[in-house]
Amino acid sequence: MNASAPNSSTFALNSEGRLLLIAGPCVLESRELSFQIAEHLCDLTQRLPIQLVFKASFDKANRTSIHSYRGLGLEEGLKLLEAVRSKFQVPVTTDLHESYQAAPVGQVCDILQIPAFLARQTDLLVAAAQTGKSVNVKKGQFMAPWDMKHVVEKLKEAGARETFLTERGTFFGYGRLVNDMRSLIEMRSLGVPVVFDATHSVQEPGGLGSQTGGNRAMVFPLAKAAAAVGIDGLFLETHPDPDKSPSDGPNMVPLAELENFLQRILAVRAAAQG
């Protein structure tokens, strides 16, 4: 990462009404794998009415076990994201967990992502907004959708370029999440674009004992329901072989299945809009 050459990109949601797709692997593993996934996504979205943002985490700071793989780290992770952005000419995003990470992430990424567990962390939100970049905040699993108005206000006051809110499910007992599709309507009423996180919504936190489980068979039905209700963007994680992914494999959409998946979602969205 070249700290003296900040990324001056000003990402904005397209005005043509195309679906925003935030997609990529859960965590950065290698340059080869990142390029493989990015190339596939770019080729796919150039043929569909979709605006792509490539996503991947440099650090999974909230893993269930201390022994779980976390990623490449801040410096190496941002170098790889910068390489993906440069080679494929695609906007990139990643999540940050601490305020000091905002500035270096803002030098590389077009959108800064705030994890759901940290949606109320004022210092983190302010630091992200002060980069002048767009900020995507995942609604806390413990938060009501209307309470996200305070998140929007914090980001606006701190100077965020554009704010996105992402729905990723609400706690339902122990180790399960449930989606209330009314949340999408509630958060859209706050005057910001709304994204549906289809893969994290099927997580079962701690479901595999020392790892998070999930049920990828439920990803498409939930994404279809969200598209029917009305969304500006879809967030999902994908991998050539999800069962070999070191993080969130049970939730991820196989890369080879993604084109058919997206075509069907676009059909539902078009029917709902029409």
Side-chain angles (χ1 to χ4, degrees), residues 23-260:
C26 178
V27 64
L28 290 167
E29 298 177 51
S30 68
R31 184 183 183 92
E32 180 183 10
L33 180 67
S34 300
F35 278 21
Q36 178 188 353
I37 295 173
E39 182 175 23
H40 187 96
L41 289 171
C42 288
D43 177 65
L44 175 60
T45 55
Q46 284 173 0
R47 293 183 279 109
L48 296 173
I50 287 174
Q51 180 182 19
L52 174 66
V53 174
F54 179 85
K55 65 80 47 188
S57 297
F58 61 81
D59 179 21
K60 302 302 293 184
N62 59 347
R63 298 304 305 272
T64 303
S65 169
I66 196 170
H67 301 293
S68 297
Y69 176 76
R70 289 181 53 166
L72 300 179
L74 180 64
E75 184 173 352
E76 291 304 312
L78 289 180
K79 284 181 181 178
L80 181 49
L81 285 169
E82 189 172 46
V84 168
R85 186 176 185 275
S86 176
K87 180 175 178 62
F88 297 100
Q89 296 298 295
V90 61
V92 298
T93 186
T94 194
D95 42 342
L96 55 150
H97 299 84
E98 299 190 52
S99 299
Y100 78 86
Q101 297 172 341
V105 170
Q107 291 176 351
V108 172
C109 293
D110 302 88
I111 303 175
L112 279 65
Q113 180 178 292
I114 306 298
F117 285 132
L118 302 175
R120 289 172 53 95
Q121 295 297 97
T122 301
D123 289 347
L124 184 61
L125 292 169
V126 169
Q130 288 179 341
T131 64
K133 296 302 182 67
S134 297
V135 182
N136 178 30
V137 185
K138 294 196 174 184
K139 179 180 74 64
Q141 301 95 322
F142 47 88
M143 293 178 68
W146 45 86
D147 288 336
M148 292 298 286
K149 68 181 179 182
H150 304 297
V151 172
V152 173
E153 289 170 358
K154 288 176 184 179
L155 290 169
K156 183 178 179 179
E157 289 286 334
R161 185 178 187 279
E162 185 170 21
T163 296
F164 298 82
L165 297 181
T166 294
E167 167 62 40
R168 57 142 301 160
T170 300
F171 286 138
F172 183 69
Y174 295 111
R176 295 294 298 272
L177 298 171
V178 66
N179 284 99
D180 180 356
M181 294 299 170
R182 294 175 296 181
S183 294
L184 299 169
I185 300 170
E186 291 274 2
M187 292 197 296
R188 221 179 200 182
S189 72
L190 301 177
V192 296
V194 171
V195 179
F196 180 70
D197 182 342
T199 47
H200 287 108
S201 288
V202 304
Q203 269 189 343
E204 296 175 0
L208 299 179
S210 63
Q211 294 179 305
T212 290
N215 181 3
R216 76 170 63 99
M218 292 293 106
V219 174
F220 178 72
L222 288 177
K224 184 168 62 171
V229 169
I231 50 175
D232 301 286
L234 181 67
F235 178 107
L236 59 82
E237 292 178 336
T238 185
H239 193 282
D241 188 352
D243 292 330
K244 291 185 179 179
S245 170
S247 178
D248 275 356
N251 317 314
M252 298 167 79
V253 178
L255 195 61
E257 298 177 12
L258 199 55
E259 181 168 7
N260 179 260

Side-chain angles (χ1 to χ4, degrees), residues 268-274:
V268 171
R269 187 169 184 257
Q273 290 176 334

